[in-house]
């Protein structure tokens, strides 16, 4: 259970840092007329995404180790696994958004549309992570 709690905490800490970066990028982009994201932002975003991916994988591994008697019914486990799967899917979309932003930086194109996509996908990711946390809380409380 310690692995599970540590994984949740590490994921939340990384998400908080990523949210600050996304918010700063949105603010800069709105201030600089469709620009404002630079190569350093992209580098930081890719580093955070790799860290989040590792955190999510650790969480997924910890979930697999939950004893069946603790997990309760199969529906709770299925909801938990579905939430983790959706979070990985969201993460893939965020990676693509960052890649598109990097291309726009290199070509000098407008970043606004890709930043909107990044923001939307990040919000979905946060929501799915919150759902996973709620499902885990119900499993942990029941044990």
């Amino acid at each position: 259970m310690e692995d599970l709690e540590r994984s949740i905490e590490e994921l939340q800490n990384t998400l908080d840092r990523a949210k600050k970066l996304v918010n700063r990028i949105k603010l800069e982009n709105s201030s600089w007329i469709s620009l404002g994201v630079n190569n350093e932002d992209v580098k930081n975003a890719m580093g955070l995404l790799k860290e989040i991916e590792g955190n999510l994988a650790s969480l997924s591994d910890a979930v697999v180790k939950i004893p069946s008697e603790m997990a309760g019914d199969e529906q709770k486990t299925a909801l938990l696994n579905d939430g983790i799967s959706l979070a990985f899917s969201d993460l893939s979309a965020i990676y693509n958004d960052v890649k598109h932003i990097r291309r726009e930086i290199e070509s000098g194109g407008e970043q606004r549309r890709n930043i909107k996509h990044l923001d939307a996908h990040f919000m979905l990711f946060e929501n799915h992570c919150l759902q996973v946390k709620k499902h885990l809380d119900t499993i942990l409380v029941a044990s």
Side-chain angles (χ1 to χ4, degrees):
M1 286 296 106
E2 288 179 27
D3 287 346
L4 187 58
E5 291 170 359
R6 184 176 53 251
S7 295
I8 292 169
E9 186 177 321
E10 288 172 355
L11 178 61
Q12 187 60 54
N13 289 337
T14 309
L15 276 176
D16 290 344
R17 292 192 341 252
K19 180 145 183 97
K20 287 178 185 174
L21 177 61
V22 169
N23 286 338
R24 188 176 59 73
I25 286 171
K26 283 177 20 186
L27 179 64
E28 287 177 0
N29 187 260
S30 66
S31 300
W32 288 92
I33 308 170
S34 301
L35 296 173
V37 180
N38 58 39
N39 285 321
E40 187 67 25
D41 292 329
V42 170
K43 180 181 170 188
N44 290 338
M46 291 303 279
L48 283 170
L49 285 171
K50 288 177 184 174
E51 193 174 331
I52 289 170
E53 185 176 15
N55 293 150
L56 198 54
S58 295
L59 179 62
S60 182
D61 290 344
V63 165
V64 170
K65 295 177 186 173
I66 295 175
S68 59
E69 62 274 359
M70 197 175 177
D73 61 45
E74 290 179 22
Q75 184 179 14
K76 285 182 183 178
T77 307
L79 287 172
L80 187 56
N81 289 326
D82 287 347
I84 290 173
S85 182
L86 287 170
F88 272 115
S89 178
D90 296 337
L91 197 58
S92 177
I94 293 169
Y95 266 114
N96 285 331
D97 295 334
V98 172
K99 287 177 187 176
H100 289 301
I101 290 169
R102 182 183 348 201
R103 276 191 224 124
E104 293 302 329
I105 290 171
E106 291 169 358
S107 70
E110 182 177 300
Q111 302 168 3
R112 181 166 293 181
R113 186 183 82 233
N114 292 317
I115 290 174
K116 284 182 180 180
H117 289 171
L118 172 68
D119 186 41
H121 289 135
F122 191 78
M123 286 186 345
L124 280 173
F125 180 71
E126 282 185 305
N127 287 335
H128 289 136
C129 286
L130 183 60
Q131 289 173 358
V132 166
K133 186 173 180 339
K134 286 179 182 177
H135 294 309
L136 282 170
D137 287 345
T138 60
I139 289 172
L140 293 175
V141 168
S143 62

